[in-house]
Amino acid sequence: MKLNPLLTVLSAAAIGFFIGVSFPVQVTPKLSPLSFGYGNCTFGGSYILSRFSTALGNNSSAVERAPLLQSKTTSEKVVAPAMPKGAERLPPNVVVRESDLHLRRLWGHPREDTPTRKYLLVLTVGYSDKVNVNATIHKFSKNFDVILFHYDGRTSEWDEFEWSKEAVHVSARKQAKWWYAKRFLHPNIVAPYEYIFIWDQDLGTETFDAEEYIKIVKKHGLEISQPGMDITRGVKTYDINVRRNDTEIHRSTSVGKCSTDIHKRPCSAFVEVNAPVFTKEAWSCVWHMIQSDLVHGWGLDWNFWRCVDEPERQIGIVDAQYVAHHSGFTLGNPGNDTADGSRRKVRVRASSEFGMFKARLNNADKAMAAALLGHSDAAPRGRSHR
């Protein structure tokens, strides 16, 4: 009997279907879990582990939102980095997440421009500070890009100095340096620089050498540091910052009020706000801690310890390279203390901001601890055996 060709094809298809159902084969590669750490821009992974718990490390929301890509070398799928907010419509290979503060030419080929320098010096200045600022900048080598924040609106006058023509000038009248830092030193902008010096304009640098300073910082693994303060030529605020004559660096002090307990701020793991030096990783964390409305930055130095994994090892004072702090509190207009903008009223606000910042951090710490506790309580529990 001659079979109908159509029936033959349909029968073969049906048989194949039932065989496939009976013997399933997994053809989709398994997705291997990837671990994700927390960078220093907010809270370091080991920071969370050592101070709170491992609960945050189990958050998989970033993994769930990230696109899956097929690996070329294995049969597994890998998680691609999430696109930065605002760049979702762009092809990934054209997205540039970081920039710098290095000046470039308007002519020639970009690859022939001078490369971004290794380090960054940041000064907040007025033109009346020009003599001291000029002396300071000469202590920094060609390995430094320089940015000046001008609180008096005078920028073009600085061109009397040759180095000024290669510096970046930002002008905003009557602002404090942490106001500028929050707005112009975003971590993605300073990412190419290994170290960021955010200094006051009134430091005496006669005995200072920036390159030698960096050698010492690298040698001792300091993430946040400052030069020792020479109080024979300047003023002091904290005992820990005073330069010692018998050491290359120090990380704590037992002088004065610190004689009872050196393992607390500002007796150890403490750097003052007038001459701090940050690695780019530590600065990324500090930048996120700066409050946009608290412009004086009082209280930041009491909390720099949050931005490293081991504060008593990674924060220190470099005694072998020291400076002098020539002035005390200089913000505000001298004279009539009752006028707006007077030195007294500016200091009152700075002191008030210190209390506000402390309260915000205390509340944030409590909220974080509660969230971690809640996350731990919500974790699935094993079945009880009766």
Side-chain angles (χ1 to χ4, degrees):
M1 181 177 64
K2 190 175 181 180
L3 297 176
N4 188 316
L6 180 59
L7 289 177
T8 301
V9 172
L10 292 176
S11 299
I15 292 171
F17 172 78
F18 286 114
I19 291 175
V21 171
S22 302
F23 303 98
V25 178
Q26 183 177 353
V27 295
T28 303
K30 293 182 180 179
L31 177 61
S32 298
L34 299 179
S35 61
F36 285 82
Y38 290 83
N40 274 348
C41 63
T42 50
F43 293 94
S46 56
Y47 166 83
I48 292 294
L49 290 172
S50 61
R51 291 164 174 78
F52 297 103
S53 82
T54 58
L56 285 181
N58 297 325
N59 188 343
S60 61
S61 59
V63 179
E64 293 167 356
R65 291 193 301 268
L68 298 179
L69 298 179
Q70 184 68 40
S71 170
K72 294 181 180 180
T73 57
T74 70
S75 60
E76 296 179 344
K77 290 180 179 179
V78 297
V79 178
M83 293 285 278
K85 185 177 180 180
E88 298 88 352
R89 295 179 177 84
L90 299 175
N93 288 347
V94 81
V95 172
V96 178
R97 298 168 182 260
E98 300 173 352
S99 187
D100 56 63
L101 292 164
H102 188 65
L103 298 183
R104 293 185 177 271
R105 306 173 305 170
L106 300 180
W107 64 93
H109 197 283
R111 67 169 172 260
E112 297 172 349
D113 294 344
T114 57
T116 303
R117 296 185 172 112
K118 296 171 63 176
Y119 317 117
L120 181 66
L121 171 64
V122 181
L123 297 170
T124 302
V125 305
Y127 189 63
S128 60
D129 307 312
K130 68 173 185 175
V131 173
N132 196 67
V133 170
N134 179 53
T136 296
I137 289 180
H138 277 93
K139 296 294 181 175
F140 290 80
S141 71
K142 287 291 186 178
N143 285 326
F144 284 81
D145 277 331
V146 176
I147 179 169
L148 298 186
F149 296 135
H150 298 270
Y151 58 74
D152 61 355
R154 300 175 69 179
T155 58
S156 59
E157 292 95 324
W158 290 84
D159 281 349
E160 67 181 89
F161 303 112
E162 193 63 28
W163 54 259
S164 175
K165 300 172 185 177
E166 297 183 14
V168 174
H169 299 263
V170 176
S171 176
R173 292 177 181 272
K174 297 184 178 180
Q175 300 301 315
K177 77 174 182 179
W178 298 106
W179 180 93
Y180 294 104
K182 185 64 173 178
R183 286 151 182 83
F184 299 103
L185 299 180
H186 187 279
N188 287 1
I189 298 296
V190 301
Y193 304 104
E194 294 179 30
Y195 292 91
I196 300 100
F197 290 61
I198 304 181
W199 280 17
D200 286 357
Q201 83 288 1
D202 56 357
L203 299 175
T205 57
E206 294 86 349
T207 60
F208 184 78
D209 184 303
E211 291 287 347
E212 292 300 317
Y213 181 92
I214 289 175
K215 289 179 183 178
I216 296 171
V217 166
K218 288 183 176 180
K219 172 183 174 181
H220 293 277
L222 298 180
E223 296 286 316
I224 302 176
S225 63
Q226 72 162 81
M229 288 294 164
D230 180 5
I231 60 174
T232 65
R233 296 183 294 125
V235 298
K236 77 167 183 177
T237 306
Y238 301 100
D239 289 318
I240 190 174
N241 306 125
V242 177
R243 180 220 177 194
R244 297 182 185 176
N245 296 320
D246 58 346
T247 59
E248 191 169 57
I249 72 164
H250 69 272
R251 298 180 174 93
S252 64
T253 186
S254 58
V255 174
K257 296 179 180 179
C258 294
S259 60
T260 56
D261 184 5
I262 65 171
H263 298 292
K264 64 180 182 180
R265 259 65 61 187
C267 300
S268 71
F270 185 85
V271 161
E272 198 176 354
V273 291
N274 57 14
V277 180
F278 306 94
T279 62
K280 61 184 176 182
E281 293 82 9
W283 172 248
S284 182
C285 171
V286 172
W287 184 90
H288 283 88
M289 188 166 57
I290 300 172
Q291 310 290 289
S292 294
D293 59 329
L294 306 184
V295 296
H296 289 284
W298 281 27
L300 281 175
D301 44 9
W302 286 73
N303 291 277
F304 285 160
W305 63 271
R306 296 171 180 266
C307 291
V308 298
D309 293 326
E310 300 177 69
E312 290 190 295
R313 185 179 68 85
Q314 295 172 308
I315 298 178
I317 312 299
V318 177
D319 299 296
Q321 291 294 323
Y322 53 96
V323 298
H325 195 194
H326 289 320
S327 304
F329 190 84
T330 58
L331 298 177
N333 302 321
N336 185 359
D337 286 345
T338 63
D340 289 344
S342 67
R343 190 158 294 176
R344 186 189 70 84
K345 284 196 172 185
V346 170
R347 191 173 188 104
V348 167
R349 170 161 177 165
S351 299
S352 176
E353 286 189 3
F354 194 2
M356 295 168 68
F357 184 59
K358 182 178 179 181
R360 291 182 189 183
L361 269 176
N362 287 339
N363 291 335
D365 282 339
K366 291 177 182 177
M368 187 175 188
L372 289 171
L373 181 61
H375 188 89
S376 177
D377 291 342
R381 303 177 184 274
R383 295 181 180 178
S384 60
H385 298 279
R386 294 181 181 177

